[in-house]
Amino acid sequence: MTDYFQEMGWRELEDGEQPNHLLHMARFLIDFGMYDDNFTGEWPRLPPPASKESVKNLKEVKIEDENQNCPICLKKFNINDTAKVMPCQHLFHEKCILTWLNQTNSCPFCRHELPTDDEAYEAFKKEKKRSEQRKEDIEALHNSMFS
Amino acid sequence: MANIAAKRIKREFKEVMKSEEVAGGAIKLELINDSWTELQGEIAGPSDTPYEGGTFILEIKVPETYPFNPPKIRFVTKIWHPNVSSVTGAICLDILKDQWAAALTLRTVLLSLQALLSAAEPNDPQDAVVAKQYKENPQLFHMTARHWTNVYAGGPASIVEFNQKVQRLLDMGVDEHDARVALSTYDWELERATEQLFS
């Protein structure tokens, strides 16, 4: 059985750490429909850079097929070039993709997101997931009652 | 200009010229200067829209940081559309702002703009007046957009009633474009447009 904290996506408080009462209050208000301006689901600017860790962990491959372009500079790869591979399997020149990921965290080709080091953005993503999950739950409940 | 930007634009330019959209006349791309920083785009108004038959010219400025930042694009041809400023031609389209991705190209951007003409986003407007008309009086919006396409973009559908009203204001000494903007803004009610122009 997964433990309760894991199931809820929570973690235990560290020693001396206080719960975030404001966050709880805000969630309470939203969950009970007392706060009308619902979560809009948009991050208002370009998402932050990819985390240093995730950039460091990008895999490299040797190019074997010469008919492939780097989607950033649009130059053809040479055979035996090394290219960086995003988790979505898209290939880029190292210099190209590092410049991009230093600016924002998603694949320039398919928008697959890497983790970031930006706490606010990560909290936003979590909240977005939460609100989507909530919507699904309500819909499932509604369907089970009225269909 | 940084090397990568110029090199990429050159590659893109070749690519666009070979594309079927250029061959089919849906989009066009021309160089403005030799440094590959300024280009002029052209898109054909999509069929089954009030922009059908019109040709819309776009100013494209390529920043030094391209393709890591989006090109700056605005409509040079005046257009009546919720997501384009009827005054400046500024465009509200997410991929030209925070949804830009380095793998997008001038070709895909021009095609996206063409798609924007087919499917406006009135809830994320650039021009609030146009967006309001789009939502509250779609039929009038459609006619106004067709009229603008006819006058500014060479579209085929001339709307006699609108032309006559513009002419009435011209006879009063009002600038033609100002007259058209005032009439379009006030749902083609001559009195209200006149009042606004002379207040």
Side-chain angles (χ1 to χ4, degrees):
Chain A
M1 199 180 99
T2 44
D3 80 352
Y4 179 69
F5 282 91
Q6 211 182 336
E7 201 172 311
M8 302 299 287
W10 296 342
R11 60 173 177 81
E12 283 181 79
L13 291 176
E14 313 244 336
D15 278 345
E17 193 186 10
Q18 291 290 316
N20 187 339
H21 295 300
L22 262 178
L23 181 66
H24 291 171
M25 188 62 174
R27 277 189 185 155
F28 176 81
L29 289 175
I30 291 171
D31 287 356
F32 287 86
M34 291 173 203
Y35 182 64
D36 220 18
D37 185 20
N38 268 329
F39 184 74
T40 57
E42 298 296 327
W43 183 252
R45 47 186 184 275
L46 197 69
S51 70
K52 292 207 173 65
E53 176 89 20
S54 62
V55 172
K56 209 176 69 192
N57 290 338
L58 285 183
K59 292 203 174 61
E60 285 186 348
V61 288
K62 263 221 163 78
I63 297 292
E64 285 160 4
D65 169 14
E66 62 173 343
N67 283 318
Q68 241 177 332
N69 291 345
C70 164
I72 294 183
C73 66
L74 301 182
K75 225 159 110 178
K76 273 191 181 151
F77 289 116
N78 296 319
I79 288 187
N80 289 333
D81 272 2
T82 46
K84 287 275 179 189
V85 196
M86 287 283 281
C88 47
Q89 303 306 318
H90 292 122
L91 305 181
F92 303 89
H93 288 121
E94 175 168 3
K95 199 177 142 210
C96 294
I97 193 65
L98 293 194
T99 312
W100 177 255
L101 291 176
N102 198 18
Q103 183 178 312
T104 189
N105 69 330
S106 61
C107 168
F109 201 78
C110 68
R111 299 187 197 279
H112 174 89
E113 287 195 60
L114 294 181
T116 72
D117 287 327
D118 185 313
E119 275 177 37
Y121 184 71
E122 291 302 315
F124 158 85
K125 270 207 307 201
K126 237 187 202 168
E127 194 57 36
K128 185 169 173 176
K129 225 169 145 188
R130 229 179 93 85
S131 105
E132 273 162 15
Q133 182 63 45
R134 203 180 142 69
K135 230 164 137 186
E136 261 171 45
D137 289 350
I138 290 178
E139 211 175 291
L141 181 66
H142 182 274
N143 290 344
S144 72
M145 285 162 75
F146 296 108
S147 67
Chain B
M1 168 181 245
N3 222 357
I4 176 165
K7 275 191 186 157
R8 202 183 110 143
I9 290 288
K10 276 184 209 170
R11 283 190 200 104
E12 280 192 43
F13 198 76
K14 272 191 223 156
E15 185 87 36
V16 167
M17 288 310 166
K18 281 188 292 187
S19 71
E20 52 188 273
E21 291 88 11
V22 165
I27 60 172
K28 235 192 224 176
L29 193 62
E30 277 169 38
L31 278 175
I32 295 290
N33 61 18
D34 295 335
S35 66
W36 302 87
T37 52
E38 274 180 54
L39 298 97
Q40 181 170 293
E42 231 182 80
I43 52 178
S47 45
D48 298 323
T49 70
Y51 311 105
E52 182 169 8
T55 304
F56 298 88
I57 295 180
L58 299 146
E59 174 191 276
I60 304 171
K61 290 191 172 162
V62 182
E64 279 187 28
T65 49
Y66 187 78
F68 299 106
N69 288 104
K72 294 189 171 64
I73 304 188
R74 68 175 193 94
F75 274 88
V76 175
T77 306
K78 297 205 178 318
I79 180 169
W80 192 251
H81 186 285
N83 304 106
V84 183
S85 164
S86 57
V87 182
T88 62
I91 303 165
C92 180
L93 181 63
D94 55 1
I95 59 161
L96 292 177
K97 294 173 182 160
D98 53 349
Q99 290 297 309
W100 171 252
L104 291 167
T105 62
L106 294 179
R107 176 180 156 268
T108 52
V109 167
L110 288 179
L111 293 175
S112 301
L113 286 170
Q114 206 171 33
L116 185 68
L117 296 191
S118 303
E121 297 270 0
N123 292 325
D124 187 16
Q126 177 77 34
D127 195 308
V129 173
V130 185
K132 187 163 176 270
Q133 191 183 63
Y134 181 95
K135 285 205 245 184
E136 291 174 4
N137 200 339
Q139 209 180 344
L140 197 66
F141 162 80
H142 200 274
M143 279 174 70
T144 308
R146 247 183 31 210
H147 171 72
W148 281 53
T149 304
N150 169 242
V151 174
Y152 296 117
S158 153
I159 295 172
V160 179
E161 184 202 338
F162 289 178
N163 290 336
Q164 282 170 347
K165 285 182 176 170
V166 171
Q167 188 59 45
R168 288 276 294 276
L169 289 173
L170 283 184
D171 294 343
M172 292 184 225
V174 178
D175 169 78
E176 185 185 333
H177 181 62
D178 291 348
R180 185 164 291 114
V181 170
L183 284 163
S184 304
T185 302
Y186 290 103
D187 294 347
W188 297 90
E189 288 174 25
L190 198 53
E191 295 77 31
R192 279 168 68 207
T194 316
E195 198 177 296
Q196 193 263 333
L197 282 165
F198 289 97
S199 67

